[in-house]
Amino acid sequence: MRLRLHQDEEVRVHRLRERMHGPLCGLTTSMGFLTRYPDGPRLLVGTADMTGVHVRQNQPAPKAGSYHIGGYGIFPFESHIRSLAETLERYAGYAAALDGRFTQRHTSRTALAQAGEPVLPESAFRLFTEEQYAREGFPFQPFHTDAPFGWLLVDSLTGDGPCWVPAQRFLLGYVREADEPWTLPAVTTGTATHTTPQAALRAALEEVVQVDAAMGHWYGRTESVLIRPDARTRHLDALVDTYFPDSAPRPEFHLLPSPDLPGFTIACLLRQPSGLVPRTAIGLGSGASLPRAMYRALLEAAGVQWLAAWVAVEQAVTGAAPDEAIYDLEGNVGRYATEEGARIVEERFARHTEQPASQLPPDDDREVREAVRTLVDAFASSGKRLYFGDLTTRDLRALGFHAMRVWSPDTVSLPLPSAVPAAHPRFADYGGFTDDVPHPYP
């Protein structure tokens, strides 16, 4: 007979925090919780800061909170575990860049191609328009095939073999050489941590689909589907009744369809009455279960609502006017906290159809391995390249976690709000690119 030890969730997360949280040598150097504002939802919003990975990279120290680590939940363990897991996700992207797990080259694309090496085609680097490059203060430079560049050799999940991919777009912690142009930075989109490699891989794949659908909806011409609650959402509706104020409008959920990738991508809109800040906050959630994706979107929207309020207070205290060009993932949240920003959001989401939740596609409750295979097959069958890296370091494995990274040059990752890759061919699948009004997602 084999005995299995089952631990309470609170106990498990407490023990994990004991091993991770420490101001001198913890992966998480500080943790805290934001105070609920009057008439706000009764949720826990946690924040955390990460250990000083910049020291090993000889980089200047980032400002507090720049890693955008947070966790939200109804119960304490939800907020705690999300904050800790997100710390591990951010850390993995930097640590993997430092421990030599990837084969790296610093050379030109021309040299790789002439040597017969598998390398992405030039078309994968045509991301911005000439007008964007010409803007004053635009942070990125055009790619030139003869320019020195950093490359990683990574494996493919879609069966076309290893390939040299741009390090600055694949690995969050990659530091460019002095002679390397900055074409587009890596973001955490497509990176996930979990207690098994398969679960981490699934979460990473779902995030790629989520952000692609959200960007395709915001910048493209597709309509969302306003979800009308019914018996399928009864548990989520009960949570809203219990933990969200009656004085505020009900959360609104929109399905953001992908033209060719499976799963549910949900945007949750939280509104407040006119005169209150933030007026609007949007959160994203995804997955193979509609209610679960809606719940994730609801939690993120509540976290974004807190962030938007914080940014608005900070701007009021400093007297700083919101920037017109936004090259961070906070300024846009502050912009859409205002009356004018809320108007833009309302206009975009006004273009929708409406369906009861029970009439949307059924949930996919298959095992993780089967779900991963379905996602990978969808990339392959729609002609998308998909690359993979295991970012699990020894310290992550010792904590019982795995970190996985997936990246596709054929989907849109989360861009800086005023630097959307308007020339990306993926927008054609969403009806074509419309305009580059900064997106509202952090």
Side-chain angles (χ1 to χ4, degrees):
M1 182 177 66
R2 297 179 63 184
L3 298 178
R4 297 180 64 185
L5 175 64
H6 292 273
Q7 294 178 332
D8 180 83
E9 295 286 359
E10 293 285 356
V11 173
R12 290 173 60 195
V13 76
H14 176 72
R15 289 181 176 175
L16 179 62
R17 180 172 176 173
E18 283 185 327
R19 299 178 66 189
M20 283 184 61
H21 182 194
L24 293 179
C25 58
L27 294 185
T28 300
T29 56
S30 67
M31 293 185 69
F33 295 89
L34 301 181
T35 303
R36 182 170 70 94
Y37 54 85
D39 295 325
R42 292 190 290 118
L43 303 181
L44 285 170
V45 178
T47 63
D49 248 331
M50 187 173 68
T51 189
V53 289
H54 62 279
V55 175
R56 286 190 62 193
Q57 297 176 310
N58 295 317
Q59 298 294 301
K63 71 172 186 178
S66 62
Y67 293 116
H68 296 102
I69 297 170
Y72 329 115
I74 291 172
F75 303 107
F77 83 86
E78 287 184 289
S79 178
H80 276 78
I81 194 62
R82 286 187 169 95
S83 297
L84 294 171
E86 198 158 271
T87 301
L88 293 174
E89 175 194 300
R90 301 290 192 270
Y91 172 78
Y94 288 90
L98 295 166
D99 71 356
R101 67 179 47 239
F102 293 101
T103 302
Q104 297 193 34
R105 295 274 298 274
H106 187 73
T107 185
S108 68
R109 187 199 168 277
T110 296
L112 287 172
Q114 288 177 346
E117 297 281 354
V119 62
L120 288 179
E122 291 185 59
S123 59
F125 297 87
R126 300 189 189 114
L127 301 171
F128 299 101
T129 65
E130 293 301 321
E131 185 275 332
Q132 287 179 295
Y133 284 125
R135 290 177 187 171
E136 183 179 356
F138 192 74
F140 304 124
Q141 296 93 43
F143 174 81
H144 296 289
T145 189
D146 295 324
F149 213 68
W151 303 90
L152 302 178
L153 186 64
V154 297
D155 291 324
S156 169
L157 286 173
T158 47
D160 45 355
C163 184
W164 291 98
V165 302
Q168 61 180 257
R169 290 170 65 184
F170 187 86
L171 208 53
L172 186 66
Y174 174 75
V175 177
R176 291 177 296 130
E177 300 285 346
D179 58 354
E180 182 177 345
W182 196 22
T183 62
L184 191 65
V187 290
T188 60
T189 300
T191 308
T193 55
H194 213 286
T195 53
T196 68
Q198 295 83 6
L201 182 57
R202 177 181 182 173
L205 287 164
E206 288 176 344
E207 191 172 79
V208 170
V209 177
Q210 168 186 293
V211 173
D212 179 74
M215 295 303 104
H217 169 261
W218 185 261
Y219 294 109
R221 301 178 187 277
T222 57
E223 293 184 341
S224 62
V225 180
L226 176 62
I227 302 172
R228 198 159 64 237
D230 59 17
R232 189 177 182 182
T233 63
R234 63 188 183 281
H235 298 303
L236 182 65
D237 297 333
L239 289 176
V240 171
D241 290 339
T242 303
Y243 294 100
F244 281 73
D246 295 332
S247 58
R250 297 281 292 186
E252 185 174 287
F253 297 92
H254 289 252
L255 173 66
L256 308 182
S258 169
D260 46 24
L261 297 173
F264 299 101
T265 293
I266 305 297
C268 175
L269 277 65
L270 293 182
R271 301 179 175 93
Q272 293 199 105
S274 181
L276 297 181
V277 176
R279 281 285 283 120
T280 306
I282 310 178
L284 293 174
S286 62
S289 162
L290 176 64
R292 193 173 299 122
M294 293 172 68
Y295 178 63
R296 290 168 178 166
L298 178 68
L299 292 183
E300 183 170 286
V304 171
Q305 200 172 54
W306 260 282
L307 175 61
W310 176 263
V311 172
V313 169
E314 192 175 45
Q315 289 176 345
V317 170
T318 61
D323 293 329
E324 288 299 316
I326 303 172
Y327 298 119
D328 61 61
L329 293 170
E330 290 182 6
N332 59 327
V333 174
R335 173 175 179 164
Y336 290 105
T338 65
E339 293 283 349
E340 175 60 20
R343 181 188 63 78
I344 297 172
V345 170
E346 298 295 346
E347 288 178 356
R348 185 65 193 91
F349 281 88
R351 302 200 299 272
H352 65 256
T353 58
E354 187 172 344
Q355 276 190 273
S358 59
Q359 292 183 12
L360 293 173
D363 297 342
D364 184 352
D365 295 323
R366 292 177 300 164
E367 294 293 326
V368 173
R369 286 181 181 274
E370 294 178 350
V372 168
R373 176 46 54 195
T374 296
L375 285 161
V376 171
D377 286 348
F379 276 85
S381 63
S382 58
K384 293 178 182 60
R385 294 157 292 191
L386 184 63
Y387 300 105
F388 158 81
D390 185 347
L391 308 186
T392 309
T393 57
R394 284 187 297 176
D395 38 7
L396 261 72
R397 189 173 289 107
L399 292 167
F401 281 82
H402 299 264
M404 300 294 162
R405 168 72 169 153
V406 292
W407 176 72
S408 174
D410 302 307
T411 58
V412 181
S413 298
L414 186 69
L416 300 182
S418 291
V420 56
H424 200 300
R426 176 59 168 167
F427 287 115
D429 297 327
Y430 289 95
F433 188 83
T434 52
D435 57 60
D436 57 355
V437 174
H439 67 79
Y441 302 104

